[in-house]
Amino acid sequence: MNDKNNKSTFVVSADWLEQRLGDPGVKIVDAAWYLPAQNRDPRVEYKAAHIPGAVFFDQDAIADQTSGLPHTLPSAEAFAEAVGAMGIGEEDTIVIYDGPGIFTAPRVWWMFRIMGAKNVYVLDGGMDGWKAQRRPTTAEVPTPARRSFHTALNAQAVTSFERMRDIVENRLAQIADARSAGRFTGEEPEPRAGMRSGHMPGAKSLPSGVFSESGKLKDLGSLRRIFADAGIDLAKPVVTTCGSGVTAAIITLALQSLGHADNTLYDGSWSEWGARPDTPVAIGRE
């Protein structure tokens, strides 16, 4: 999808997308979501201005509401119902964007892919970059005809708590943690009440922001160096994690951009691990 050999094939440029606005086979999804400290409301921003034809994907709503954890992956049936109502089918070319770029869009990119969609991409630069370049926007909310989204859930791509405990105890895979360095070491408190600080024993710190620059995913050579510098061996399995399973998908996007296939995402992430009294927690850089 990108004419530069050193760029991820899972990312499209604003030029590429603008040329395809109105193409019935290209579906655009606004997947913006923000932390409270960012003081931005994604739905308000969407209603004020979005890329023409884009539908809004609410990451708080399209989730398993029974888990007690934020953003947990919904069932295949619930996902199909939600995105089918958005007029999206599994054979469509689906482009996901967020506000700043390479922030929350990779999570929805990952969700669509593990649910069976093949042609799913993330917009480089996000909506902030799109607007900065004065590209077309609209406040008109589309009313797409309902479609059938036929799921083929890849459950093996999702790591459960029980599997994560086994991975930690027996060092069965490398653990890549997307939270900030301060949260990883325990020097910064967790934003959610009741969470212990620190990280899973054996995890490596890969803060999500290191993978992009100005809202665009870094080139493949830079991504490869980031993993090498963090001590991640791309010839071995990796499980990605973060605070609530959202920014972990940025690491997943980077891994898969490099052709790494043996990776999973721990959906409960630190919201689950750090809140439990019976899980081992390490502090410091190692």
Side-chain angles (χ1 to χ4, degrees):
M1 301 301 293
N2 197 303
D3 58 4
K4 293 184 179 179
N5 293 331
N6 67 337
K7 290 289 286 183
S8 171
T9 58
F10 296 119
V11 170
V12 296
S13 68
D15 282 342
W16 185 95
L17 183 58
E18 186 171 0
Q19 290 167 11
R20 289 161 178 80
L21 292 180
D23 185 329
V26 176
K27 306 300 182 181
I28 308 171
V29 178
D30 184 324
W33 180 90
Y34 299 104
L35 295 163
Q38 291 172 285
N39 198 30
R40 294 177 67 170
D41 186 321
R43 192 175 286 278
V44 168
E45 291 188 17
Y46 170 79
K47 288 180 178 179
H50 52 266
I51 296 174
V55 293
F56 185 74
F57 188 107
D58 188 336
Q59 297 200 48
D60 289 323
I62 305 174
D64 180 358
Q65 303 297 330
T66 68
S67 74
L69 297 169
H71 321 298
T72 307
L73 192 70
S75 68
E77 294 77 15
F79 183 87
E81 172 68 20
V83 301
M86 297 175 189
I88 301 173
E90 77 280 359
E91 298 297 331
D92 288 325
T93 295
I94 305 163
V95 179
I96 318 291
Y97 73 87
D98 55 38
I102 316 299
F103 179 46
T104 59
R107 167 71 183 195
V108 177
W109 167 86
W110 174 78
M111 291 173 71
F112 269 102
R113 279 172 56 80
I114 69 166
M115 290 292 181
K118 303 290 189 228
N119 304 309
V120 193
Y121 306 94
V122 174
L123 175 65
D124 243 357
M127 186 61 177
D128 293 350
W130 183 275
K131 290 194 292 188
Q133 295 168 356
R134 300 183 182 279
R135 296 180 187 271
T137 64
T138 183
E140 182 179 347
V141 176
T143 54
R146 176 178 288 277
R147 298 273 301 284
S148 292
F149 187 100
H150 301 99
T151 57
L153 174 61
N154 177 14
Q156 302 303 312
V158 189
T159 291
S160 66
F161 171 75
E162 292 76 16
R163 175 62 177 166
M164 195 71 225
R165 188 193 286 278
D166 195 22
I167 288 170
V168 170
E169 289 179 354
N170 298 299
R171 303 299 169 99
L172 300 177
Q174 302 166 102
I175 305 168
D177 190 327
R179 292 174 303 146
S180 69
R183 290 171 66 188
F184 180 90
T185 61
E187 296 169 287
E188 294 176 7
E190 285 295 308
R192 294 177 178 86
M195 295 283 162
R196 292 174 292 164
S197 296
H199 59 270
M200 299 162 201
K204 303 293 186 182
S205 178
L206 287 103
S208 59
V210 304
F211 294 97
S212 62
E213 187 171 358
S214 300
K216 296 183 178 182
L217 190 69
K218 291 181 178 178
D219 64 80
L220 300 184
S222 296
L223 297 181
R224 199 174 297 278
R225 285 191 293 274
I226 289 166
F227 286 113
D229 290 347
I232 296 290
D233 184 346
L234 294 176
K236 297 179 180 179
V238 179
V239 57
T240 65
T241 182
C242 60
S244 62
V246 175
T247 58
I250 297 173
I251 306 180
T252 304
L253 172 63
L255 286 168
Q256 295 189 15
S257 295
L258 292 170
H260 187 280
D262 193 0
N263 56 80
T264 65
L265 188 149
Y266 172 34
D267 203 30
S269 283
W270 200 254
S271 294
E272 183 172 49
W273 192 273
R276 293 180 64 115
D278 60 343
T279 50
V281 171
I283 57 173
R285 299 194 179 277
E286 296 296 333

